[in-house]
Amino acid sequence: MMGVRTGLRIDQGYRDGAAVVVPHGVLDLANYAELRDTLVKCAIELPRGVIVDVGWLSVPTTATLAVFSSVWIQVSDWPGVPIVLVAARELDRRRLARNSITRVMPVHASVEEALDALGEPPPRRRTILELPDEPASVAAGRRFVEVTCIRWGCLEVLRDGVLVASELVENAVRHAHGDPRLRLELGGGLLTVAVYDDDPTPPRLINSSLTAPGHLGLVMVAKLAKSWSSAPTLSGGKVVWAVLVVP
């Protein structure tokens, strides 16, 4: 958090399986969303962790530091990738602590220290199905979830997983562009159903969809899931995901 510089440049790279993000310049309300979305995109790629070096970042208004808490909340259920900060200067570490950032994410003195602290990611089971951009993909997605839940031994969420996948794939086929991808993950007592597409437009929660014959909509997804959301991807599209608790 050095002296004031104009604009914001965000450098990205990888070290030892972790994404390293270094924002340069001024963090303000005009580019708050840019940094937030960049960090979420990095987390969705499922690195070992996301390390953010704030040493080159100027923060004239401390309220914008809430970007880190916002990202932590958004990725805590899924993808569950740890996000840690690097602040080499004691002054910067105290500033982060004063603004309660250290309550939700660790702060380290160097990238090397952050890498050592990340440890190994928790075990997960993961599988992906590439789908064509056509209505038949909805049924294919349902079958994929059913077979996967049986193979993974999580029959308690089979029905809900099938319903969620059906809605997410149908939304992608109806409203997005390109061939969607259905991704299932199991870990930490949670089953995640995620659908990727090439349209960056976030989905909308519309209550009226409950009255449409044969179409439950995102309202049903929200009721079944522990949490759900969408996020932009590095490829320029989006991912819509829902997390189900495995009893």
Side-chain angles (χ1 to χ4, degrees):
M1 301 182 195
M2 301 180 69
V4 175
R5 302 174 62 181
T6 59
L8 185 69
R9 186 182 89 242
I10 305 174
D11 295 337
Q12 302 175 54
Y14 283 88
R15 285 188 58 181
D16 298 337
V20 180
V21 180
V22 186
H24 298 254
V26 179
L27 177 63
D28 55 29
L29 294 179
N31 53 41
Y32 178 102
E34 179 186 359
L35 180 57
R36 179 199 63 206
D37 291 349
T38 297
L39 297 180
V40 172
K41 289 176 186 178
C42 289
I44 287 172
E45 295 299 312
L46 288 176
R48 186 159 65 98
V50 177
I51 300 171
V52 189
D53 187 344
V54 301
W56 301 93
L57 192 62
S58 174
V59 186
T61 304
T62 57
T64 56
L65 288 174
V67 65
F68 300 117
S69 301
S70 174
V71 171
W72 178 82
I73 291 170
Q74 193 166 347
V75 305
S76 58
D77 279 333
W78 189 82
V81 170
I83 298 180
V84 302
L85 304 181
V86 169
R89 300 193 308 170
E90 179 63 28
L91 177 65
D92 293 339
R93 293 196 291 272
R94 288 200 301 267
R95 191 178 194 185
L96 291 166
R98 283 199 306 270
N99 287 275
S100 302
I101 306 303
T102 54
R103 292 183 181 179
V104 296
M105 58 182 60
V107 179
H108 300 283
S110 68
V111 173
E112 290 73 18
E113 181 181 303
L115 285 168
D116 290 341
L118 281 177
E120 291 301 318
R124 301 186 189 195
R125 306 184 75 170
R126 184 180 305 125
T127 184
I128 298 176
L129 176 66
E130 304 280 349
L131 293 165
D133 185 15
E134 58 185 42
S137 289
V138 179
R142 287 197 294 262
R143 289 194 298 272
F144 181 66
V145 174
E146 182 176 356
V147 169
T148 301
C149 285
I150 293 173
R151 188 172 75 247
W152 287 352
C154 51
L155 300 180
E156 303 90 342
V157 292
L158 187 154
R159 175 183 172 276
D160 290 353
V162 167
L163 288 173
V164 167
S166 180
E167 294 305 321
L168 298 187
V169 173
E170 183 173 356
N171 278 348
V173 171
R174 282 189 175 191
H175 306 296
H177 310 293
D179 299 333
R181 289 184 296 144
L182 172 58
R183 179 177 187 156
L184 302 178
E185 291 183 20
L186 179 65
L190 301 173
L191 175 70
T192 301
V193 181
V195 174
Y196 294 74
D197 62 58
D198 296 332
D199 186 351
T201 307
R204 291 187 301 159
L205 194 67
I206 302 175
N207 289 321
S208 60
S209 61
L210 284 175
T211 63
H215 185 59
L216 301 176
L218 288 172
V219 172
M220 182 58 67
V221 172
K223 289 184 177 181
L224 293 174
K226 175 181 183 287
S227 61
W228 78 277
S229 187
S230 70
T233 59
L234 289 174
S235 63
K238 70 175 178 297
V239 57
V240 185
W241 55 267
V243 174
L244 302 170
V245 177
V246 181

